[in-house]
Amino acid sequence: MTHAPWTRRALAAAAGTGLALSLAACSDAGAEDGEVLVGLITKTETNPFFVKMKEGAEEAADEHGVTLQSFSGDYDGDNESQVQAVENLIAAGADGILITPNDSEAIVPALDQARAAGIMVIALDTPTEPQDAVDATFATDNFLAGEYIGQWAAAHFEAEGVDPRVAMLDLNPNQIAVDVARDQGFLQGLGVDIADPGQIGDEDDDRIVGHDVTEGAEEGGRTAMENLLQRDPDINLVYTINEPAAAGAYEALNAAGVAEDVVIVSVDGGCPGVENVGSGILGATSMQFPLDMAAQGVDAVVEYAASGETPEPTEGLDFVNTGVELITDQPMDGVESQDSAWGLDNCWG
């Protein structure tokens, strides 16, 4: 549901009656009457990915001369704080809310309230469940990000004349959309047939040693890598859900004395990950652009406040693709990429 911008503050005032206003925003600035107010709600305020996202939103807000109020959960998975932030923004009469949901389903009732108040809601990076609980989603094409590193790995091993023995280091047993998309994009790029798209681990290919979960953390990556090395010490290619998991995998491989014999590929494109490409720890990574993601979200709210128009998805997708680039210092014929020097100049937007 969308409403003409002129009705928004009246609707918000009605919807905000009695809502809790105790949650402190990271930015205390409030919008004057008639000014555009944008809310940014991230999963946490400490994760570098969301720090960069906030930076992008602040830069875009300054450029447009609009007010930004930013909030975050206290920890990854903290839905309650995000609900309170939405309620605060409804009461404040925000024009738009940009949110990276901690719980893609549990946040939906609060977002329904916001949209009923005439506020445009955009999910950043992580889609809601259902996805149409928001007006638009701005995100990385995670399948493409996985496909890029899969294509690069396939070309690398073909050039080496070696068959890959692959360890898959995924996120967690819940198999959320991002996890599945990156995993299966990688497998498609590598040339592995997937029997049941949408289900991690449902591939019948002798090149895949197995899957383990990491929670996207360094410690999890180390443990998962140790487990899979016990299953097959001849692993020579490691896919990881993100770069912290890749760092943990490298530690385990190094401790086992086999790091120089194993290629690691990942997704993220943070500055530490790009540095690991430059040093040879990572063979390749797919770079996301959280700064641009948030900046484009602010642009969309400003447009909505002026015209009532909501963003259209990228052609062929059900979300707005905010870009992905393959970063490697070992370019492969037929696989478009940028080197780590370019990556360090552009990491995360």
Side-chain angles (χ1 to χ4, degrees), residues 98 129 196 298:
L98 314 175
E129 296 180 19
D196 181 12
V298 172

Side-chain angles (χ1 to χ4, degrees), residues 143-210:
F143 189 92
L144 183 62
E147 189 173 26
Y148 279 170
I149 55 175
Q151 290 171 342
W152 179 88
H156 174 85
F157 277 84
E158 182 178 356
E160 295 289 320
V162 177
D163 291 330
R165 299 286 298 159
V166 188
M168 304 285 293
L169 273 58
D170 294 303
L171 186 60
N172 59 44
N174 294 331
Q175 299 193 12
I176 64 172
V178 169
D179 195 12
V180 173
R182 292 182 185 179
D183 178 295
Q184 297 196 339
F186 167 78
L187 291 171
Q188 177 165 300
L190 192 64
V192 173
D193 290 330
I194 303 166
D196 181 12
Q199 181 65 39
I200 287 177
D202 193 15
E203 66 274 341
D204 184 15
D205 194 302
D206 290 341
R207 291 173 291 179
I208 310 302
V209 170

Side-chain angles (χ1 to χ4, degrees), residues 140-154 168 178-191 237 239-241 265-268 284-288 324-326 335:
T140 304
D141 186 337
N142 285 294
F143 189 92
L144 183 62
E147 189 173 26
Y148 279 170
I149 55 175
Q151 290 171 342
W152 179 88
M168 304 285 293
V178 169
D179 195 12
V180 173
R182 292 182 185 179
D183 178 295
Q184 297 196 339
F186 167 78
L187 291 171
Q188 177 165 300
L190 192 64
L237 174 59
Y239 154 87
T240 67
I241 181 67
V265 294
S266 194
V267 176
D268 255 353
T285 190
S286 285
M287 179 179 286
Q288 306 182 84
V324 61
E325 290 280 353
L326 180 69
V335 183

Side-chain angles (χ1 to χ4, degrees), residues 45-57:
E45 64 178 354
T46 55
N47 184 309
F49 187 88
F50 302 121
V51 171
K52 183 62 73 170
M53 189 176 280
K54 183 180 176 183
E55 180 184 328

Side-chain angles (χ1 to χ4, degrees), residues 29-340:
E32 300 292 335
D33 286 346
E35 289 186 357
V36 174
L37 173 59
V38 183
L40 173 69
I41 308 171
T42 56
K43 292 183 180 181
T44 70
E45 64 178 354
T46 55
N47 184 309
F49 187 88
F50 302 121
V51 171
K52 183 62 73 170
M53 189 176 280
K54 183 180 176 183
E55 180 184 328
E58 289 173 340
E59 289 177 359
D62 287 345
E63 180 180 337
H64 287 291
V66 302
T67 300
L68 178 73
Q69 288 188 0
S70 56
F71 304 78
S72 69
D74 291 332
Y75 54 88
D76 200 326
D78 178 13
N79 181 66
E80 183 177 351
S81 291
Q82 290 197 322
V83 169
Q84 291 176 9
V86 172
E87 291 175 347
N88 277 333
L89 288 164
I90 293 171
D95 295 86
I97 295 174
L98 314 175
I99 184 168
T100 59
N102 266 321
D103 188 317
S104 294
E105 291 186 61
I107 195 64
V108 168
L111 300 184
D112 287 344
Q113 256 190 309
R115 295 177 75 195
I119 300 171
M120 182 175 70
V121 180
I122 295 175
L124 299 180
D125 182 57
T126 304
T128 54
E129 296 180 19
Q131 189 164 325
D132 63 5
V134 293
D135 294 287
T137 300
F138 284 43
T140 304
D141 186 337
N142 285 294
F143 189 92
L144 183 62
E147 189 173 26
Y148 279 170
I149 55 175
Q151 290 171 342
W152 179 88
H156 174 85
F157 277 84
E158 182 178 356
E160 295 289 320
V162 177
D163 291 330
R165 299 286 298 159
V166 188
M168 304 285 293
L169 273 58
D170 294 303
L171 186 60
N172 59 44
N174 294 331
Q175 299 193 12
I176 64 172
V178 169
D179 195 12
V180 173
R182 292 182 185 179
D183 178 295
Q184 297 196 339
F186 167 78
L187 291 171
Q188 177 165 300
L190 192 64
V192 173
D193 290 330
I194 303 166
D196 181 12
Q199 181 65 39
I200 287 177
D202 193 15
E203 66 274 341
D204 184 15
D205 194 302
D206 290 341
R207 291 173 291 179
I208 310 302
V209 170
H211 295 253
D212 207 336
V213 296
T214 66
E215 296 298 336
E218 188 170 327
E219 181 179 354
R222 183 169 56 249
T223 301
M225 192 71 255
E226 290 169 349
N227 292 341
L228 290 170
L229 279 173
Q230 289 178 2
R231 184 179 302 181
D232 187 339
D234 295 326
I235 289 167
N236 58 12
L237 174 59
V238 178
Y239 154 87
T240 67
I241 181 67
N242 65 5
E243 290 164 358
Y250 177 79
E251 290 174 8
L253 293 165
N254 197 43
V258 297
E260 292 186 359
D261 303 320
V262 180
V263 175
I264 305 174
V265 294
S266 194
V267 176
D268 255 353
C271 296
V274 174
E275 290 171 353
N276 283 340
V277 170
S279 68
I281 290 174
L282 292 180
T285 190
S286 285
M287 179 179 286
Q288 306 182 84
F289 297 95
L291 186 146
D292 290 344
M293 197 180 293
Q296 290 176 33
V298 172
D299 293 345
V301 174
V302 171
E303 175 61 32
Y304 173 74
S307 68
E309 295 295 320
T310 56
E312 294 293 330
T314 300
E315 185 176 357
L317 300 172
D318 58 0
F319 60 93
V320 178
N321 179 19
T322 55
V324 61
E325 290 280 353
L326 180 69
I327 308 298
T328 182
D329 284 342
Q330 303 173 60
M332 294 292 142
D333 289 342
V335 183
E336 187 175 342
S337 65
Q338 302 284 353
D339 64 17
S340 62

